[in-house]
Amino acid sequence: MNSIVINVGNSNIRFGLFNGDNCDISWVINTKPYRTADELYVQMLMLYQTYKIEPKEIDKVIIGSVVPQLTKVMSSGIKKIHGITPVIVDRTTPSGVQAKSKQMGTDIYANLVAAHNLYPNRKKIVIDFEQLLQPAV
């Protein structure tokens, strides 16, 4: 089964093509919060052509986003390309992990779920450095 996992962050949108648990291809584009569904559709198709990805071979698309205005746009572009509704990951997504903070971003929640599944029955500290590593402009 092939899946595309998309992380929509404040600075970048990261894509990963997974075959099971293996990430075969990944790429990054800049986050532009007012991009239209058509712009994302064209950009994604160009990247698919570059990496020789056939949209019909993708069984599942998963989106995690901390940019709400892009979540619907990204979802619309995915539906147009793949003909499937993507799974939108947020704090309400069933996972076996209970978020204790209502302010926790989707990105940190997804990291917490990953840590929970990778290291069961162990205490964990999850730190996300995306914004900390961005140079101030």
Side-chain angles (χ1 to χ4, degrees):
M1 175 174 95
N2 285 323
S3 57
I4 299 274
V5 177
I6 304 168
N7 175 6
V8 182
N10 290 311
S11 303
N12 294 305
I13 302 173
R14 299 176 188 281
F15 298 81
L17 172 66
F18 283 81
N19 184 356
D21 287 340
N22 298 320
C23 183
D24 294 334
I25 302 168
S26 64
W27 64 95
V28 179
I29 61 174
N30 288 325
T31 299
K32 294 180 182 158
Y34 300 104
R35 207 174 266 179
T36 67
D38 289 332
E39 288 173 304
L40 277 171
Y41 169 79
V42 169
Q43 191 164 22
M44 288 179 66
L45 281 181
M46 287 177 15
L47 288 163
Y48 282 15
Q49 287 175 347
T50 299
Y51 292 108
K52 298 178 178 37
I53 298 170
E54 289 294 329
K56 64 181 178 261
E57 293 178 6
I58 304 301
D59 302 313
K60 182 184 271 187
V61 178
I62 303 166
I63 300 173
S65 175
V66 296
V67 187
Q69 64 267 37
L70 272 182
T71 306
K72 287 183 181 180
V73 171
M74 182 67 71
S75 182
S76 175
I78 293 298
K79 287 178 190 174
K80 198 172 184 179
I81 293 170
H82 297 283
I84 58 176
T85 301
V87 174
I88 307 294
V89 175
D90 61 21
R91 287 185 302 274
T92 64
T93 304
S95 66
V97 174
Q98 184 177 7
K100 300 202 183 226
S101 168
K102 298 216 183 279
Q103 295 179 330
M104 181 186 301
T106 301
D107 50 351
I108 297 190
Y109 179 73
N111 292 341
L112 178 60
V113 171
H116 176 74
N117 287 296
L118 289 170
Y119 306 102
N121 304 317
R122 295 174 77 182
K123 292 184 180 185
K124 301 148 202 68
I125 296 174
V126 177
I127 301 171
D128 183 280
F129 287 104
E130 181 180 359
Q131 289 305 312
L132 294 174
L133 297 177
Q134 298 298 322
V137 180

